[in-house]
Amino acid sequence: MTMLADDPTAAAVLAAVPCHPVPPHGGSPALDALRSARSGHGLAVGADGVMLILRRPWLALDVPITQSIAGYLPYGSVGAPRADLRCGLIPHGHLDEILNHFRAALPNEAAAFVLWNEASGAFAVSLPAIDEATPSRLVYRTPALPPDWHMVCDIHSHGRGSAFFSATDDADDAYATKISLVFGRLDQPDGPVMASRLCAGGMFLPLPRSPFAGESHAN
């Protein structure tokens, strides 16, 4: 077997994030194993581009990260994109609980996490420790999770302001795997408004739909 790197650390990195060509015919046991894995990520290289394949216990994501490669490659297609919540949709009651908490915190910003238990399939809302909260600034701590629990959503509010991701949010979300949500206009009769994205593989991706049951659209 050919070594991909002669440095042990580099070899471990390449093994942790493998890159597999797509065969022009038949299947690929390596890609099948990656797609069915409980957790992990890697790249599929096909004639039609490169696809990131990322798996977490709660998420199955296949997303193209390049367009078709200009040079000729005798490879097959990387296949269709997907973004599936393995955990299922979050019960709508948890959204109501979070929005009520955000409204109670006005005029200050507030935060909440949605967690999922891999063993039981249960969701839970976790309210983080807050170091600082004002109408324009929020500093809060990511919870230390016990076994079988996973963070699905990291959510915070902008109080009476609009919903958007700040430069601080971008820095906090870089290289994480989670759904990030920001709610704003919590005091308005036509509110709230929501900004959303899926953070994965160092990218910020649009959500195809709301992660909450009964909510068809993600802003």
Side-chain angles (χ1 to χ4, degrees):
M1 181 177 179
T2 302
M3 292 290 293
L4 295 178
D6 56 10
D7 177 83
T9 301
V13 169
L14 296 181
V17 188
C19 183
H20 302 298
V22 181
H25 306 290
S28 166
L31 284 171
D32 290 344
L34 181 59
R35 284 192 163 103
S36 62
R38 173 182 174 273
S39 186
H41 65 286
L43 300 174
V45 182
D48 51 353
V50 179
M51 176 172 281
L52 171 68
I53 301 172
L54 186 145
R55 296 293 181 268
R56 294 294 182 267
W58 61 275
L59 175 68
L61 178 69
D62 293 358
V63 59
I65 58 175
T66 73
Q67 297 180 344
S68 297
I69 297 172
Y72 170 71
L73 293 177
Y75 297 161
S77 171
V78 295
R82 65 180 291 200
D84 297 333
L85 290 177
R86 287 171 153 179
C87 60
L89 293 176
I90 303 164
H92 196 278
H94 290 327
L95 176 59
D96 294 334
E97 177 184 353
I98 291 166
L99 292 178
N100 287 338
H101 172 68
F102 288 172
R103 291 187 179 103
L106 289 172
N108 294 334
E109 298 184 355
F113 295 97
V114 175
L115 311 180
W116 177 70
N117 188 289
E118 183 179 359
S120 68
F123 289 93
V125 173
S126 174
L127 301 180
I130 303 294
D131 293 326
E132 181 182 358
T134 74
S136 60
R137 176 174 168 81
L138 181 68
V139 180
Y140 60 102
R141 305 179 196 177
T142 301
L145 300 180
D148 295 326
W149 284 97
H150 304 277
M151 183 203 301
V152 177
C153 296
D154 182 348
I155 311 171
H156 69 277
S157 72
H158 281 176
R160 298 186 173 107
S162 59
F164 64 94
F165 292 103
S166 67
T168 299
D169 296 332
D170 291 345
D172 290 342
D173 289 349
Y175 306 108
T177 302
K178 61 184 180 182
I179 295 170
S180 285
L181 305 174
V182 181
F183 285 94
R185 295 176 56 84
L186 288 154
D187 62 330
Q188 297 298 313
D190 61 344
V193 292
M194 181 181 78
S196 64
R197 65 188 182 191
L198 174 61
C199 309
M203 299 179 292
F204 301 141
L205 306 170
L207 285 183
R209 61 153 295 159
S210 170
F212 294 96
E215 299 282 325
S216 59
H217 301 292
N219 295 355

